[in-house]
Amino acid sequence: MTDSSNKPLDLAALDHLTGGAFTVSTSADRTARLRDWLAGQPTLAHVQAVFDEMSHRDKGAAKVLREKLDELRRSKDQDALIVEWTAKGEALRDAPHINLGDAMGWQRDAAKAGAPLSREPLAGLKTALTERVKAIEDLQHQTQVQREAAVLLAQRIEVLSTKPWQDALAQREALQADLDRWVAQAQTLAADAQWPSVDAKFAPALQTSTQQVQAVWTAFCEALTLTEAAAADASAALPAVPAWSDQIRVARGEVLPQAAAPAKAANPAVAGVDATRKVKPTVDKAVVDQKRLELAIQAEALFKPAPVAKPVKAKATQATETPPVEMPAVAEGVVIPPAAPELDMAVLALEETPVVDTAAPAPAPVVAPVEETARVPAMGGRKMQETLRHLREQWKKIDKEAAPNPALWKRFDAACNRAHEVVDVWLKEARAQTTAHKAQRLALIEEVKAWTVAHANGPDWKGVSRQLHQFAQRWRESGHLSEKMFAELQPVWKAAIHAAHEPLEVMQKASLARRHALIAEAQALGAAPMLRVDAVKALQQRWQEEAHAVVLDRKQEQKLWDAFRQPIDEAFARKSSVREQSQAALTPHDKAVLDAAKALESATAKGDAAQIRAAMQLLEQMARGEPVVAAAPEAVAPVASPEVASEQATAEAAPSDAADTPATDAASETTSEVSSSEEATADEAAAEPVAEAPPAKPKAAPRPVVAVRGDDRPGQKRTEVAPGARGRDGKPGGKFGDKPSFGRDGKPSREGGREGFAPRGPRLGDAAFRAQRHALESAQDALRRLAAHAHGEVLTQLMHAWEKRDAAQLPAAQAIGSKLSPAQRTQWAQALSAQPQGEAVTPLLRLEVAADLPTPAAQMDARRALQLQMLTRRNDPSPQMTWATDAAQVLGGAYDEAAARRLQAALKVLLKR
């Protein structure tokens, strides 16, 4: 808070700044002015100064300022975060070499810090970094694809070395084209702008693959050239490829080395070889090696690079490190690194010496140091264990199909051993978790036993049931155990929990017996001829007490409650049916009212206004119990013209008070509950006067009283003095607040007078009352529809007269209605008879203002100007007073279809008011 002595602005300045928020009298005005001021985006300092002063005067209005201050502070903090993380993101985006972990962690760290990543420029940086990470990942994937393609090229060369040299010579150009394409693709990857950001292991791997493929291809071409020379010159040296050298020997007619020494190979005992051992086939060795390579890659894929890849130093003493693979040199000065040991067969096939001495030790190859990266398991311990088992089974199955490949086996076994370390750690953790879970379950069993001794015997049986349910839930959530251990603990748990449940089960059996007894009592009450409501209430109270005391299973308790409620519901249903049957008995008066209602519905269906009004009058007379004189069929009035029908229907559209009052009184009296015998007696007593009363003239309704001096309370005669004072004065007259001749809730009683109310006939039954009300409502709706239809026809005729400029076609005054005086109609006729003159824009706007109708978009500016002009001329008559004159001005102008629609819409409203 700012000190009052150091405020930069005084109260007057703050009031002027906020538009008078400090000088207004009410809090609502103060809040409104503050909101208007805040909409102008004031500075944080001004808002703080106004808040400091307003918080002492009006805390409600200061709430708006507090919210704005919080919003400004949040915006300020977010702006600072945007600047900070924008700088970090731009550094990552523009750096020539980035780490994938840092680029992927920028978005996560920014979100944790609260930076608005959906706002610019953070949104654009997020998209740019995502695209760069995707490009780097795609580049790494393409590098792996290139390595696999190099392996396939080497395998193709190896396969050609086992076939005739003529086939190899025929496919040399195709292989050369494929090799050139592969080299070009590798150079394109290395020249990519994102290549410096690729993981450190991919660049040397791609370089090694390039060297291997080129070395193999060079040896293959040299061997093929030597083979062509040997085939052309018998004195030339033979190639180092066994299949090609044997083929040339056969072509020269020489004896093959295998046939020259049959005795040496025919004695397996001398060579120390078991004659019964089955030699593995080597026909499809390249295919089998490809399968072995896939298994080795799958084993290595059990680990993935860590999120933040950092190089680590290789330890010479690590047990899982892959030993270097011994590979002979293909050519002088070229060494094959161990990155692709699957090429050893092709290299052996291209060696210059035809016979290899396996007893002599091979020279140690030169291995280029490869920098390792931190890797983490790609899956959990259980899944990794299953994957390892599956991979080893597949290796055993594939290894029987061809001769072994020691290099691939070492690679596969090293990857499996490394993954098995993770499995061992997981197994140790699983054993520790199992021990902890077992201890937790044993502790829970002991807790249940101790609780059974202390609380299992009640008396709060609902709490006992709740606690037992919690014990069962804790047992289910106590962690995983092995099947053997769970089978040992489950019987102990069941014994403990059953002992805890035993007292509750005893109480539940006793409660079940008591509830069955209550059900029997309910059946006895329901079967009794007279239903005792007090006994039913007492029985339900006993059931509720029993249900609250002892808790049963939800489904069982619901079934018992349904069985308890069924006989009582049936008894009440019988009572209701008896009451409905007694109410359904129709008296002669009800039958007469029903017949009159049906006649009114028939007249409503025909759509004749005169017949509808006659049927409504007849129904009202029948409802009041007045005698009805039968009219001759010829006396029915003919169908009126549309103009007359529109006026009469308009006059009859609103429901009259005389028709609504009996319906309201009858509805109020039907709501009271009486017994069937009392209703029948009342109906019979009410029906007798109707049947036996002699014809008499209906009593005229009293004239409405405009003003009366003295006591004009409802029910009090105008010429009599008010009766004695109320009960509070000690005089007879009832309780304080009672009115004579009025019953409960201020409604007129049957005994008192009904002066000031419409006469009411005998009481109607429910069916007759509902039929009367429905028929009256339908008739009134029909009259309103007829009036609206007739009104629309009148307006259409008026528009047609304007179009034809014919005053003779102007509707009659009776058809137009009482809202238009004869003088105003004469003014309309004169406007139609004269020649078109004047403009109709302003009169139409005044008509729309008078009718409160919308104005077309093209005329909105003119309407605003007219309203401003009307505000400056306050003494001029309003459009509601001059609408007839305005309509005459419109009719005096030229006819226009759009203007006619606007005029018709305005007159539709104004002629009805």
Side-chain angles (χ1 to χ4, degrees):
M1 301 296 290
T2 307
D3 197 327
S4 60
S5 61
N6 298 327
K7 290 181 181 178
L9 298 175
D10 56 359
L11 184 60
L14 291 177
D15 184 69
H16 177 71
L17 180 64
T18 57
F22 289 90
T23 56
V24 293
S25 57
T26 62
S27 178
D29 295 340
R30 193 174 296 112
T31 304
R33 296 198 180 188
L34 287 175
R35 291 186 185 276
D36 295 340
W37 175 65
L38 292 176
Q41 300 297 330
T43 62
L44 178 62
H46 287 170
V47 177
Q48 183 66 46
V50 174
F51 173 75
D52 294 341
E53 186 64 31
M54 186 63 68
S55 60
H56 301 295
R57 298 174 177 270
D58 190 348
K59 294 187 180 298
K63 184 178 179 181
V64 181
L65 298 170
R66 186 185 300 109
E67 294 175 354
K68 185 64 176 180
L69 281 174
D70 295 341
E71 181 182 354
L72 291 176
R73 292 192 184 104
R74 285 195 302 269
S75 178
K76 185 177 180 181
D77 296 341
Q78 287 185 354
D79 292 341
L81 288 174
I82 287 176
V83 172
E84 176 186 356
W85 288 99
T86 299
K88 295 181 179 179
E90 290 177 350
L92 287 174
R93 182 194 61 188
D94 301 334
H97 170 70
I98 64 170
N99 194 331
L100 280 180
D102 296 339
M104 297 172 66
W106 176 85
Q107 181 178 353
R108 179 186 67 252
D109 297 339
K112 287 183 179 180
L117 294 176
S118 58
R119 293 174 53 185
E120 294 293 342
L122 293 182
L125 285 175
K126 181 177 67 175
T127 305
L129 286 177
T130 303
E131 293 177 355
R132 185 169 184 183
V133 168
K134 186 176 183 300
I136 294 173
E137 291 178 347
D138 293 343
L139 202 59
Q140 294 179 166
H141 177 70
Q142 293 175 8
T143 304
Q144 293 178 350
V145 172
Q146 285 296 109
R147 291 186 60 194
E148 298 299 329
V151 173
L152 294 177
L153 282 174
Q155 289 178 356
R156 289 176 60 186
I157 295 173
E158 179 185 2
V159 171
L160 286 177
S161 66
T162 61
K163 294 182 178 181
W165 64 273
Q166 293 85 355
D167 296 344
L169 183 62
Q171 297 184 16
R172 181 170 60 180
E173 295 182 0
L175 280 174
Q176 181 67 46
D178 294 342
L179 180 62
D180 294 341
R181 190 183 305 110
W182 185 92
V183 172
Q185 293 175 355
Q187 292 175 355
T188 303
L189 292 178
D192 194 279
Q194 305 296 339
W195 183 255
S197 302
V198 174
D199 197 351
K201 66 179 181 180
F202 289 99
L206 183 62
Q207 183 179 3
T208 301
S209 298
T210 305
Q211 295 175 358
Q212 289 175 352
V213 171
Q214 291 179 350
V216 172
W217 178 250
T218 302
F220 173 77
C221 292
E222 292 177 355
L224 189 58
T225 303
L226 186 61
T227 303
E228 289 180 344
D233 187 4
S235 62
L238 294 176
V241 181
W244 296 350
S245 61
D246 293 344
Q247 185 179 0
I248 293 175
R249 287 192 183 98
V250 172
R252 292 177 179 179
E254 298 178 0
V255 180
L256 297 177
Q258 295 85 350
K264 184 177 180 180
N267 192 3
V270 178
V273 180
D274 187 7
T276 61
R277 188 176 68 88
K278 295 182 179 180
V279 180
K280 298 179 181 179
T282 57
V283 178
D284 298 331
K285 187 174 183 304
V287 178
V288 174
D289 287 344
Q290 178 63 25
K291 295 180 180 179
R292 290 169 178 167
L293 176 61
E294 292 176 358
L295 290 178
I297 294 175
Q298 292 180 13
E300 293 174 350
L302 295 176
F303 287 85
K304 62 181 180 180
V308 180
K310 294 182 180 180
V312 296
K313 295 182 179 180
K315 296 182 180 180
T317 58
Q318 187 176 0
T320 60
E321 183 179 0
T322 305
V325 181
E326 299 179 357
M327 298 182 63
V330 179
E332 185 177 357
V334 179
V335 179
I336 304 298
E342 63 273 11
L343 301 179
D344 57 347
M345 301 307 297
V347 175
L348 291 176
L350 298 176
E351 287 182 349
E352 294 183 358
T353 56
V355 180
V356 180
D357 188 4
T358 57
V366 179
V367 181
V370 179
E371 188 175 354
E372 296 185 359
T373 57
R375 304 178 69 85
V376 295
M379 59 190 70
R382 180 181 296 275
K383 189 174 182 180
M384 185 170 288
Q385 184 184 30
E386 296 175 356
T387 306
L388 277 176
R389 185 182 297 112
H390 179 66
L391 289 176
R392 288 192 177 274
E393 290 177 356
Q394 284 187 334
W395 184 275
K396 291 179 181 179
K397 182 179 179 181
I398 294 174
D399 199 45
K400 297 178 181 178
E401 298 178 359
N405 190 329
L408 288 178
W409 164 248
K410 290 178 181 179
R411 181 178 175 182
F412 174 77
D413 187 58
C416 291
N417 291 337
R418 185 178 181 184
H420 202 275
E421 294 178 359
V422 178
V423 176
D424 291 339
V425 174
W426 170 76
L427 289 175
K428 292 179 182 179
E429 293 178 357
R431 294 189 189 98
Q433 290 179 0
T434 302
T435 305
H437 294 164
K438 181 179 180 181
Q440 182 180 357
R441 290 179 182 267
L442 291 175
L444 180 60
I445 292 174
E446 296 300 328
E447 184 180 352
V448 170
K449 291 180 180 179
W451 180 88
T452 303
V453 176
H455 303 92
N457 294 324
D460 184 11
W461 297 109
K462 184 175 289 187
V464 169
S465 176
R466 188 184 304 110
Q467 187 64 35
L468 290 174
H469 177 73
Q470 292 177 0
F471 282 142
Q473 187 70 18
R474 289 171 58 187
W475 176 262
R476 286 192 294 268
E477 297 175 354
S478 293
H480 177 72
L481 293 177
S482 63
E483 296 182 0
K484 181 179 179 181
M485 191 175 298
F486 185 78
E488 295 176 357
L489 293 181
Q490 186 69 7
V492 182
W493 163 254
K494 286 187 176 180
I497 200 66
H498 287 169
H501 270 280
E502 187 174 357
L504 179 61
E505 292 175 355
V506 173
M507 290 302 301
Q508 287 178 345
K509 290 181 180 179
S511 176
L512 191 61
R514 289 192 293 268
R515 297 193 191 197
H516 282 297
L518 292 176
I519 292 174
E521 294 183 18
Q523 292 174 352
L525 283 176
M530 181 64 67
L531 182 61
R532 295 174 52 195
V533 179
D534 55 344
V536 171
K537 290 184 178 180
L539 192 62
Q540 290 178 345
Q541 183 65 27
R542 289 166 56 192
W543 181 275
Q544 294 296 332
E545 293 175 356
E546 185 65 30
H548 286 301
V550 182
V551 180
L552 298 179
D553 181 67
R554 185 179 297 272
K555 292 183 179 180
Q556 185 180 14
E557 191 167 3
Q558 184 64 34
K559 290 181 180 179
L560 292 173
W561 168 249
D562 293 340
F564 171 78
R565 192 180 60 179
Q566 181 180 1
I568 299 177
D569 291 347
E570 291 177 354
F572 276 105
R574 289 197 303 271
K575 183 178 179 181
S576 300
S577 63
V578 171
R579 181 180 300 172
E580 291 175 358
Q581 291 177 2
S582 63
Q583 292 178 356
L586 296 178
T587 62
H589 180 247
D590 291 347
K591 293 180 180 179
V593 172
L594 285 174
D595 294 339
K598 292 180 180 179
L600 179 57
E601 291 178 354
S602 177
T604 302
K606 293 179 180 179
D608 189 350
Q611 293 185 9
I612 292 175
R613 286 192 295 274
M616 286 179 65
Q617 184 178 4
L618 177 62
L619 178 58
E620 292 173 358
Q621 292 178 1
M622 295 300 299
R624 292 194 295 266
E626 298 176 359
V628 180
V629 180
E634 296 80 2
V636 179
V639 179
S641 62
E643 294 81 359
V644 179
S646 65
E647 180 184 3
Q648 295 174 350
T650 307
E652 295 290 341
S656 62
D657 296 338
D660 288 345
T661 304
T664 307
D665 295 339
S668 63
E669 293 204 8
T670 52
T671 56
S672 60
E673 293 187 0
V674 294
S675 62
S676 59
S677 60
E678 292 176 351
E679 290 179 357
T681 306
D683 293 339
E684 292 175 2
E688 288 177 0
V690 178
E692 299 177 1
K697 294 182 180 181
K699 183 178 179 181
R703 297 177 61 185
V705 179
V706 178
V708 176
R709 297 189 61 180
D711 192 358
D712 59 348
R713 294 176 298 169
Q716 177 64 36
K717 294 183 178 181
R718 305 292 189 268
T719 59
E720 295 181 0
V721 183
R726 295 172 180 171
R728 175 168 291 189
D729 298 333
K731 298 179 181 181
K735 298 180 181 179
F736 177 77
D738 289 349
K739 294 184 180 180
S741 303
F742 273 74
R744 186 174 53 185
D745 300 332
K747 298 180 181 179
S749 63
R750 290 183 177 273
E751 295 79 14
R754 291 184 50 83
E755 294 187 9
F757 294 90
R760 185 177 66 184
R763 178 179 177 182
L764 293 175
D766 184 69
F769 170 73
R770 292 180 183 276
Q772 174 204 12
R773 183 177 62 182
H774 177 69
L776 287 175
E777 291 176 354
S778 302
Q780 292 166 2
D781 292 339
L783 288 175
R784 280 192 289 269
R785 289 195 301 271
L786 290 173
H789 180 67
H791 186 65
E793 291 181 352
V794 169
L795 292 178
T796 304
Q797 186 177 357
L798 176 61
M799 296 301 109
H800 185 68
W802 181 26
E803 182 181 4
K804 299 299 182 180
R805 309 297 300 181
D806 187 4
Q809 297 184 12
L810 183 66
Q814 186 179 11
I816 296 177
S818 60
K819 301 299 179 182
L820 188 71
S821 63
Q824 294 171 343
R825 182 185 179 280
T826 303
Q827 186 179 5
W828 287 11
Q830 293 175 357
L832 291 176
S833 301
Q835 292 296 327
Q837 60 182 357
E839 54 90 17
V841 177
T842 303
L844 279 176
L845 292 176
R846 292 179 63 87
L847 286 172
E848 289 173 345
V849 172
D852 196 13
L853 292 177
T855 301
Q859 302 293 333
M860 284 302 298
D861 295 337
R863 177 165 179 170
R864 294 192 186 100
L866 176 63
Q867 290 176 341
L868 291 175
Q869 184 180 4
M870 292 167 55
L871 289 175
T872 58
R873 300 178 180 179
R874 296 187 178 181
N875 295 328
D876 291 352
S878 63
Q880 288 80 4
M881 301 171 61
T882 62
W883 65 269
T885 306
D886 296 333
Q889 294 182 11
V890 175
L891 293 175
Y895 177 81
D896 181 65
E897 186 176 356
R901 286 197 298 268
R902 294 172 61 187
L903 177 62
Q904 185 175 0
L907 292 179
K908 182 179 180 181
V909 178
L910 294 172
L911 290 176
K912 282 186 177 180
R913 290 183 176 177

